[in-house]
Amino acid sequence: MTKLIPQSEQELADLVRAADGPVRIVGGGTRSAEQLAGRQELSTTSLSGITLYEPGALTLVAQAGTPVGEIEAVLRAENQMLAFEPYDLSDVTRVKGASTIGGVVATNASGARRVQAGAARDFLLGVRFVDGQGQVLKNGGRVMKNVTGYDLVKLMAGSWGTLGVLSEVSLKVLPMPEHVMTVGIVGLSDENAVAAMSAALGSPFDVTGAVHAPACIEEEPFTMVRIEGFENSVRYRAEKLKDLLGRFGEVITSENAEGWKVMRDMVTFSQSARGPGGAFWQLSLKPSDAAPIMAGISDQFDVQFCYDWGGGRVWVWAGEDVDQEALHGALQDNAARVGGHATLIHSETALAVPKFQPLSPALSRLTQGLRQKFDPRGILNPGLME
């Protein structure tokens, strides 16, 4: 595979314009789409660096290849953060590259705080990108404002490089919380855990995360709810949540926030992922559908899984001994039955399956129409959304 590493936005545009066949778009490779053998690979890793940071305006502009770790370090120095809490699955996928901000935006990668703060696209102020014809386009700006006309900013978030190659992104950032507490319960069934998380998320206590890991991951199931903010307020809300969740079991509180990083990056799965041949999926479902679907899946397949977003997202991992194509079909069939979707995030062996949930005819026509406008030659990550 030919690797192309442009050193500037203009060189990026020139390479795309000159491409005579399919191009696989990557940043650090940690959110890589598929291993597309025999195609050109275009990496944005050399388009790196923070070009503007105004802490007082809560605004940061960075080139697409800038490592997320570098951005987070700069923000920490000013006691600020990326509020959408982007995950890094390199421990699971065993990819050695550094996650880039362009990859985060292109995949709309968002962590547990999405239930309260929003997703990556909600903090995206502006983008610069190169379309499939090699044209440099820009949309949005560096401040929050009402949008008129076509909002390409939101369109690019989650497009997985199929509409254009990001070269620069502008983001709104937020202050880091003064205090963090976790309210937890050990030993809940999946159904009761989803009920407990739903009760917490439906309360007036401003929960910023709700996750559950069944016994297939740790020796005992554990459920965690997070509260953030000013210390006195956090302590008050934690006590109220203890009272609210007491009917589900013994409630404990902790001021150690490390568990949230472990769950965000699925570090627990990495112990299993050290073996060859693993595959990893993300399911998006109504929380009430999550536990019944996973009960049926775990009856048929040897899988590990955990719940995020109060049950709205389920991470699923399977080793090489599992029929991964059959599992993929079961996940997508079950998700489709309840109006959700299942996405293959990573596989260490080639699977002859669609990465994304098949679209309805109407959505497929809309998607293909957009791609025809932005990439009429069909060279940017072709086949990825089909």
Side-chain angles (χ1 to χ4, degrees), residues 276-279 302 317-324:
D302 182 14
W317 185 87
E320 62 176 337
D321 295 334
V322 174
D323 185 338
Q324 294 172 359

Side-chain angles (χ1 to χ4, degrees), residues 319-380:
E320 62 176 337
D321 295 334
V322 174
D323 185 338
Q324 294 172 359
E325 293 190 2
L327 171 58
H328 181 84
L331 291 172
Q332 292 201 333
D333 288 347
N334 277 275
R337 177 172 54 82
V338 297
H341 54 87
T343 303
L344 176 63
I345 298 297
H346 173 78
S347 176
E348 295 196 15
T349 56
L351 301 181
V353 297
K355 179 180 179 68
F356 294 96
Q357 191 82 27
L359 298 174
S360 67
L363 283 176
S364 180
R365 287 194 297 272
L366 178 61
T367 299
Q368 292 306 315
L370 285 170
R371 294 192 67 174
Q372 179 61 31
K373 292 293 184 182
F374 286 92
D375 181 22
R377 294 186 293 163
I379 64 170
L380 302 180

Side-chain angles (χ1 to χ4, degrees), residues 147-185:
V147 175
T148 56
Y150 295 107
D151 189 2
L152 302 185
V153 175
K154 298 294 190 290
L155 192 62
M156 292 300 291
S159 63
W160 285 79
T162 60
L163 302 179
V165 187
L166 288 167
S167 57
E168 184 182 82
V169 299
S170 305
L171 295 163
K172 178 185 178 182
V173 300
L174 289 182
M176 295 181 68
E178 176 185 289
H179 199 69
V180 180
M181 288 191 71
T182 300
V183 178
I185 307 176

Side-chain angles (χ1 to χ4, degrees), residues 80-202:
Q80 293 182 345
M81 65 179 183
L82 296 172
F84 54 90
E85 206 171 3
Y87 55 78
D88 181 353
L89 301 178
S90 56
D91 277 335
V92 178
T93 61
R94 300 190 298 176
V95 173
K96 295 181 180 180
S99 175
T100 65
I101 194 63
V104 164
V105 170
T107 61
N108 196 33
S110 311
R113 199 178 285 109
R114 180 176 183 171
V115 296
Q116 187 257 5
R121 63 164 49 93
D122 298 309
F123 291 86
L124 192 58
L125 303 176
V127 293
R128 292 179 65 92
F129 65 98
V130 174
D131 70 7
Q133 300 181 84
Q135 301 177 99
V136 178
L137 304 176
K138 63 179 180 179
N139 187 245
R142 294 175 175 177
V143 295
M144 295 294 287
K145 61 180 181 179
N146 292 328
V147 175
T148 56
Y150 295 107
D151 189 2
L152 302 185
V153 175
K154 298 294 190 290
L155 192 62
M156 292 300 291
S159 63
W160 285 79
T162 60
L163 302 179
V165 187
L166 288 167
S167 57
E168 184 182 82
V169 299
S170 305
L171 295 163
K172 178 185 178 182
V173 300
L174 289 182
M176 295 181 68
E178 176 185 289
H179 199 69
V180 180
M181 288 191 71
T182 300
V183 178
I185 307 176
V186 176
L188 294 183
S189 66
D190 291 5
E191 293 83 356
N192 286 341
V194 170
M197 291 188 291
S198 297
L201 289 166

Side-chain angles (χ1 to χ4, degrees), residues 200-212:
L201 289 166
S203 75
F205 305 126
D206 201 19
V207 168
T208 66
V211 302
H212 171 71

